[in-house]
Amino acid sequence: DILTVLSHSRGLGMSATLRPYLNAVRASLEAAMCLENFSSQVVERHNKPEVEIRTNREVLLTPIVVSRNEKERVLIEGSINSLRISIGIKQADEIEKILCHKFMRFMMMRAENFVVLRRKPIEGYDVSFLVTNFHTEAMFKHKLVDFIIQFMEEIDKEISEMKLALNARARICAEQFLKNF
């Protein structure tokens, strides 16, 4: 199939249903990532992410939700000087919910190593990123977008691999336990 050949030639081994979703997220992030320095209108010499403090409605953009299905979705909230990206990760069953929760907790405890990762996600989402104008001044915008898209690709793979390893380990434990009977 030509789509498989194209995706493998680019080094992107993702499914045909995932590609349009990630392309839509990429386009939305690229459009929303036009951030500029904006000092606080309330406190002099302060520059807080407006998307977090929400004091001025005129500097907030309309939030965008890009959804693949009910569980997999991305909320993009923009303002003049910051962008908050919240991601809902696919969780098909109870094991995936537990694995996702534990993995996200592990990542958020190390949020300072990821620079743009928030310590606490937005309600109803599994992980959130906060990109400010200082991040876009210090880093390339397209690399930030690439990081978030790659994170979305890899997190599904990681949870699937953890689930397979967990099931394999449970099978071995059950076989060892049942040998006694």
Side-chain angles (χ1 to χ4, degrees):
D1 157 299
I2 189 75
L3 186 59
T4 308
V5 172
L6 285 175
S7 67
H8 288 298
S9 68
R10 292 184 188 154
L12 304 170
M14 64 179 92
S15 69
T17 59
L18 186 60
R19 178 172 295 291
Y21 171 63
L22 292 178
N23 287 343
V25 171
R26 179 183 297 279
S28 301
L29 284 174
E30 287 171 351
M33 191 111 23
C34 50
L35 307 175
E36 62 182 50
N37 196 9
F38 186 79
S39 298
S40 173
Q41 293 178 332
V42 180
V43 181
E44 200 171 320
R45 292 188 172 170
H46 278 251
N47 189 335
K48 303 280 187 203
E50 292 291 332
V51 76
E52 292 282 322
I53 59 173
R54 299 191 164 282
T55 54
N56 302 326
R57 289 183 51 96
E58 62 267 11
V59 296
L60 297 175
L61 301 174
T62 305
I64 303 168
V65 177
V66 180
S67 181
R68 184 175 180 199
N69 56 39
E70 205 174 283
K71 303 250 190 274
E72 285 183 276
R73 62 197 190 285
V74 176
L75 173 66
I76 302 170
E77 300 171 283
S79 71
I80 194 162
N81 68 348
S82 55
L83 182 68
R84 184 168 53 197
I85 304 114
S86 302
I87 302 171
I89 300 167
K90 177 187 72 162
Q91 299 163 23
D93 57 7
E94 206 59 39
I95 292 173
E96 285 186 4
K97 284 181 186 174
I98 292 168
L99 289 172
C100 179
H101 176 72
K102 294 288 185 188
F103 191 62
M104 288 302 114
R105 209 169 116 226
F106 173 83
M107 299 263 303
M108 286 179 217
M109 289 173 70
R110 291 148 185 84
E112 64 276 354
N113 296 335
F114 292 97
V115 182
V116 293
L117 184 68
R118 290 182 81 230
R119 286 205 176 271
K120 191 170 183 198
I122 300 300
E123 186 72 30
Y125 291 86
D126 300 306
V127 65
S128 291
F129 296 94
L130 178 67
V131 178
T132 65
N133 63 299
F134 299 114
H135 294 127
T136 58
E137 289 169 6
M139 300 177 230
F140 293 116
K141 292 179 185 180
H142 68 278
K143 292 289 186 185
L144 284 168
V145 173
D146 288 344
F147 168 74
I148 292 168
I149 297 298
Q150 183 180 4
F151 178 85
M152 291 173 65
E153 290 174 14
E154 295 296 321
I155 197 70
D156 285 340
K157 290 178 191 172
E158 287 291 326
I159 290 174
S160 296
E161 288 172 10
M162 285 191 288
K163 185 177 177 184
L164 288 172
L166 180 71
N167 286 338
R169 191 171 176 184
R171 187 179 323 104
I172 292 169
C173 290
E175 286 173 2
Q176 291 298 318
F177 180 74
L178 293 175
K179 279 183 181 177
N180 297 331
F181 298 107

